[in-house]
Amino acid sequence: METKGLNSPGYEIPDDVKGAVAITTIDRIYNWGRRSSVWPLMFGLACCAIEMIATAAGRYDFSRFGMEVMRPSPRQADLMLVSGTVTKKMAPTIVRLYNQMPEPKYVVAMGACASGGGPFKEGYNVVSGVDKLIPVDVYIPGCPPTPQALINGLIKLQEKIDGQHWKDTRWYREGDLAAIPIPMLGPDLIYQEQIPAIKEASKEA
Ligand code: SF4
């Protein structure tokens, strides 16, 4: 068990009980548990997915970070790992699965395509980054990013989790967390929140 940083309450523990007593904060132990068991929902959409798969395999092995439960399911997932080109056709599915993930949940955009559209930016069928659809916590540059870059991004996510305070986190606030409206796919993507403005514009036309 990695306990580095866990038993550091900010004041001296008397010498005679050192090694027998551990003092920590709720935040530190709670975040340590969460950051050490981030289960990803893999969302491999294009070439970047090969690097994601390689990161899970024996040579890089992100099981070392407690992330070995990687499934294409929102059930019990903490992290949506979007890896590859986000097409407009895929957008409703991404948002639907994100809404189905329980809190706390995080999103990593792996690679240039997921972060901003990449070489296909402004393409007729491509969303210019998954952050147009759902909130992203960590962006990983590269085309494709190497497994080392992905691991670095996952460590950044762990650092973010370490810095969270359980009282401030959105999933402990009162009231329901609003789901993100699922965009509709017609001749192009239609974002539900834009519908009133579209109706107004069509009246004026
Ligand atoms: S960023 Fe590059 S490697 Fe990754 S999905 Fe896009 S084109 Fe493929």
Side-chain angles (χ1 to χ4, degrees):
M1 184 170 88
E2 173 56 69
T3 55
K4 188 165 174 276
L6 199 62
N7 188 14
S8 50
Y11 51 85
E12 273 302 302
I13 299 173
D15 284 341
D16 52 340
V17 292
K18 260 185 193 164
V21 171
I23 300 174
T24 190
T25 61
I26 289 175
D27 273 340
R28 197 172 283 128
I29 193 108
Y30 172 67
N31 290 337
W32 172 78
R34 293 194 307 117
R35 55 103 82 186
S36 306
S37 58
V38 175
W39 290 4
L41 185 170
M42 60 173 151
F43 222 111
L45 292 166
C47 7
C48 274
I50 304 302
E51 301 296 320
M52 177 181 70
I53 293 162
T55 313
R59 188 179 179 94
Y60 298 99
D61 188 18
F62 64 30
S63 303
R64 294 176 291 146
F65 300 89
M67 295 180 179
E68 68 269 57
V69 186
M70 184 163 79
R71 304 184 300 183
S73 163
R75 193 184 304 168
Q76 292 126 11
D78 306 291
L79 163 67
M80 181 179 272
L81 184 45
V82 183
S83 153
T85 316
V86 179
T87 59
K88 292 177 180 173
K89 191 175 181 182
M90 193 54 83
T93 307
I94 289 177
V95 177
R96 183 174 294 114
L97 287 170
Y98 178 80
N99 285 339
Q100 289 174 351
M101 287 170 64
E103 293 279 359
K105 55 188 171 187
Y106 303 91
V107 177
V108 167
M110 179 185 178
C113 283
S115 299
F120 312 111
K121 188 174 173 66
E122 311 295 347
Y124 75 96
N125 63 333
V126 171
V127 179
S128 295
V130 74
D131 58 1
K132 301 284 183 295
L133 307 170
I134 53 178
V136 171
D137 296 281
V138 177
Y139 298 87
I140 303 174
C143 179
T146 57
Q148 293 91 333
L150 175 54
I151 286 174
N152 185 58
L154 296 173
I155 290 171
K156 290 287 166 212
L157 178 67
Q158 288 186 318
E159 289 171 3
K160 179 171 184 173
I161 294 172
D162 277 339
Q164 290 186 312
H165 181 30
W166 69 275
K167 277 190 178 165
D168 299 341
T169 44
R170 62 184 175 192
W171 54 91
Y172 285 130
R173 289 189 196 146
E174 285 184 10
D176 288 337
L177 292 163
I180 296 176
I182 296 174
M184 294 177 285
L185 186 65
D188 204 332
L189 267 188
I190 301 169
Y191 297 95
Q192 290 188 41
E193 51 274 30
Q194 293 173 343
I195 289 176
I198 293 170
K199 279 184 178 165
E200 279 305 310
S202 64
K203 273 185 211 161
E204 288 166 17

